[in-house]
Amino acid sequence: MSDFECFAFFCEDFRTEVGGKTSYMGVLGPRINLEPSDDDAPPDAKGVIAKLVVVAMIRTSKQGDIPLKVDLFFENAPDGIVQHIKSDHVLSVSGERDENLAQFHAQMPHVPAHPGMKIVVNFKVGGQCFSTSLLMDGPEASTPTTRRRRG
């Protein structure tokens, strides 16, 4: 096994269970289809995803503190949205097994739900890079393909 085997994803929520295990709810694929906002929705709820969590899982044979670098990018974001956020974290890994699982999750509340916007998160651990992305798709989203009208 290499020092690190990594993967990442987005989900809607997480919770820590009795015994310390983490459960992830509403695991998302590479795109989310945005439906038009309900006219009765409160103004601060329109155009945002109520809760979005990015998750990184790292399986490793290493013990101790493991530095994790995170780069978050908002591509094609609405005006006023920060385009890039960098952060450094330390994951503590301990255990008596040959392989251990380190988990990182960060909640991103009130993410703008702008059709055509893409959220990209790049991770770096022990010289290894991995990433995940989420495309906001919807009725106003531009697509790279050309559609023909049938008439």
Side-chain angles (χ1 to χ4, degrees):
M1 178 174 114
S2 66
D3 286 344
F4 303 100
E5 291 181 27
C6 314
F7 66 97
F9 58 91
F10 287 95
C11 66
E12 294 175 342
D13 202 2
F14 69 94
R15 68 173 176 246
T16 303
E17 305 288 350
V18 174
K21 292 188 178 185
T22 305
S23 292
Y24 298 100
M25 280 70 67
V27 175
L28 301 170
R31 76 181 340 145
I32 186 169
N33 189 22
L34 303 173
E35 298 296 326
S37 295
D38 184 356
D39 289 337
D40 295 331
D44 64 340
K46 291 182 180 181
V48 297
I49 296 176
K51 192 170 186 183
L52 187 63
V53 177
V54 64
V55 178
M57 295 201 169
I58 303 156
R59 188 168 57 176
T60 182
S61 58
K62 298 260 184 199
Q63 300 279 330
D65 291 342
I66 299 172
L68 176 69
K69 293 186 179 292
V70 181
D71 281 316
L72 171 70
F73 298 92
F74 290 98
E75 298 176 2
N76 193 28
D79 292 338
I81 301 299
V82 175
Q83 303 292 313
H84 181 216
I85 300 170
K86 293 176 88 169
S87 60
D88 294 322
H89 305 271
V90 176
L91 304 177
S92 295
V93 178
S94 62
E96 298 178 8
R97 294 183 252 161
D98 292 338
E99 294 180 354
N100 295 292
L101 183 65
Q103 299 180 62
F104 168 84
H105 46 260
Q107 180 179 331
M108 298 185 291
H110 306 293
V111 173
H114 177 75
M117 187 177 87
K118 187 175 186 180
I119 303 171
V120 179
V121 184
N122 297 320
F123 298 93
K124 186 173 183 181
V125 61
Q128 184 174 338
C129 298
F130 61 107
S131 67
T132 188
S133 64
L134 181 64
L135 175 65
M136 308 291 173
D137 204 2
E140 299 172 17
S142 59
T143 57
T145 57
T146 303
R147 294 183 183 167
R148 292 185 181 172
R149 289 186 94 167
R150 293 184 181 189

